[in-house]
Amino acid sequence: MKPIFGRGPSLQLRLFLAILLSASLMLADSRLDAFANVRYFLNSAIAPLQYAANLPRELLDGLNGQMSSHQQLLVENKALKRDLLVMKSNVLLLDQLQQENQRLRNLLGSPFVRGERKMIAEVMAVDSDPYSHQVMIDKGRVDGVYEGQPVINDKGIVGQISYVGAHNSRVLLLIDPTNAIPVQVVRNDIRVIATGTGKSNEIQLEHVPSSTDIRVGDLLVSSGLGGRYPEGYPVARVTEFSFDNKRPFAQIIAKPTVQFDRLRYLLLVWPTDRMKAAETSATKSIAPSSAVSTISPAVAVPANGVKPTAPVENKKPNNEVNNAN
């Protein structure tokens, strides 16, 4: 019986022929690029398999994109919240501007300012020296400011001009230890000298006998003596009156009516006599006056004009301040 399949070449021969065919095909493809079309068709045939294998990665990328969009929304939400905070802060700034406007209105309408010429000035800087109490304002010689000019605000007397530049000036505050001002008690018109102590909420009365009729709560106003400060402006209110039998004078402490740690807007005042002098010499520049005037006798004198029995030497406090560069 004849077998269905005839005997073929041996396995060794088949292997040799297969290796020889493979080497020939590789050599022909590398040298002659004979199977480019075959590779193209084979690549097209297995493309669906490649897409199927790439599908999980695309799904993961899509999910990641959705999560990224969510994260972007969160970032945009935070940015919008920051913008909202900025808008709210601008609203608060508007409220502050309204309050400043109201303070300026109060300053211009202050009952302490009478017929004198006045000009609003803004504080630019505060002296960093702990032993000197001065501030710089934005008005100078071109605005008619002169040395020794009184400076006030809506609460009372702030101080006097100690240095004048072209476009800015320095104000020697009332609380500076080198500054002094003649004051009088509103209740009984007793006149005394008040000097600064270097503290923002305290001044003291100099050389006042313990028998003087001054009480806690008395309001002190400028007396106008010495020609430096106009008369009648609030200065301080007495907070402490004490005396020691071993000392010839009482210790009197007063609290200024002005809050010196919160100065922002000030008023420059030209007294009436200064205005008249300026009008008569309009073609001449205003000559700066001395930084400190001669203060009246530092003894409590009643308003009835009774002179003391013993002569008293006039006191001139050393209020001269070196001009800042």
Side-chain angles (χ1 to χ4, degrees):
M1 184 175 179
K2 187 176 180 179
I4 298 176
F5 300 100
R7 180 179 295 273
S10 62
L11 295 177
Q12 292 80 3
L13 182 58
R14 293 178 182 178
L15 179 60
F16 174 76
L17 293 176
I19 292 174
L20 182 61
L21 180 61
S22 298
S24 301
L25 293 175
M26 288 188 293
L27 182 62
D29 182 60
S30 61
R31 298 294 182 181
L32 303 176
D33 198 15
F35 296 96
N37 293 331
V38 175
R39 285 198 303 274
Y40 174 77
F41 287 112
L42 292 177
N43 189 23
S44 299
I46 64 174
L49 297 177
Q50 293 176 345
Y51 284 111
N54 194 37
L55 182 62
R57 186 182 65 82
E58 291 182 353
L59 293 177
L60 292 177
D61 290 342
L63 183 60
N64 187 23
Q66 292 181 357
M67 295 180 64
S68 299
S69 299
H70 179 70
Q71 185 67 24
Q72 184 178 1
L73 290 176
L74 292 178
V75 172
E76 291 179 355
N77 190 16
K78 290 182 179 180
L80 291 176
K81 287 183 178 180
R82 288 195 296 268
D83 294 340
L84 180 60
L85 290 177
V86 172
M87 295 299 177
K88 288 184 177 180
S89 65
N90 292 335
V91 173
L92 294 177
L93 183 60
L94 290 178
D95 294 338
Q96 181 181 359
L97 293 176
Q98 291 178 353
Q99 294 176 3
E100 288 187 358
N101 188 19
Q102 185 62 35
R103 285 197 293 267
L104 290 175
R105 290 178 181 270
N106 294 336
L107 188 62
L108 288 175
S110 174
F112 305 134
V113 181
R114 298 169 296 240
E116 299 94 351
R117 177 193 171 195
K118 54 188 179 293
M119 178 186 296
I120 293 180
E122 185 175 359
V123 176
M124 300 172 57
V126 178
D127 198 340
S128 59
D129 186 357
Y131 301 103
S132 177
H133 297 271
Q134 300 186 43
V135 296
M136 181 174 291
I137 59 176
D138 60 348
K139 295 294 184 293
R141 194 174 301 277
V142 296
D143 303 296
V145 180
Y146 60 92
E147 292 184 6
Q149 182 175 9
V151 181
I152 66 172
N153 67 358
D154 58 330
K155 301 297 183 182
I157 291 182
V158 176
Q160 61 177 312
I161 299 296
S162 61
Y163 168 77
V164 181
H167 301 282
N168 52 44
S169 304
R170 284 185 177 271
V171 179
L172 182 66
L173 301 182
L174 203 62
I175 58 175
D176 192 274
T178 63
N179 203 355
I181 178 175
V183 297
Q184 66 183 19
V185 182
V186 174
R187 180 172 56 85
N188 51 18
D189 289 339
I190 290 180
R191 295 181 176 88
V192 292
I193 300 298
T195 60
T197 62
K199 299 179 181 179
S200 61
N201 60 347
E202 182 179 298
I203 62 174
Q204 62 183 359
L205 305 185
E206 294 282 350
H207 305 124
V208 179
S210 58
S211 59
T212 305
D213 184 16
I214 295 180
R215 304 173 186 174
V216 174
D218 283 343
L219 178 62
L220 306 176
V221 298
S222 57
S223 64
L225 298 179
R228 178 68 64 200
Y229 298 99
E231 181 181 0
Y233 286 87
V235 176
R237 191 174 293 274
V238 177
T239 58
E240 180 182 343
F241 185 96
S242 61
F243 62 91
D244 189 353
N245 294 330
K246 298 179 181 180
R247 298 181 179 180
F249 303 110
Q251 182 179 5
I252 303 178
I253 304 298
K255 182 179 180 180
T257 58
V258 175
Q259 295 179 330
F260 290 96
D261 55 347
R262 300 181 182 179
L263 295 178
R264 180 67 183 276
Y265 297 102
L266 306 177
L267 272 180
L268 297 170
V269 178
W270 281 262
T272 305
D273 55 350
R274 188 82 185 188
M275 293 173 60
K276 291 180 180 179
E279 291 176 357
T280 56
S281 58
T283 58
K284 300 180 181 180
S285 60
I286 299 178
S289 60
S290 59
V292 176
S293 65
T294 302
I295 306 299
S296 59
V299 175
V301 180
N304 54 15
V306 177
K307 298 182 180 179
T309 56
V312 181
E313 295 181 359
N314 290 343
K315 177 184 176 182
K316 182 179 180 181
N318 184 15
N319 289 351
E320 296 184 357
V321 179
N322 292 331
N323 293 342
N325 291 328

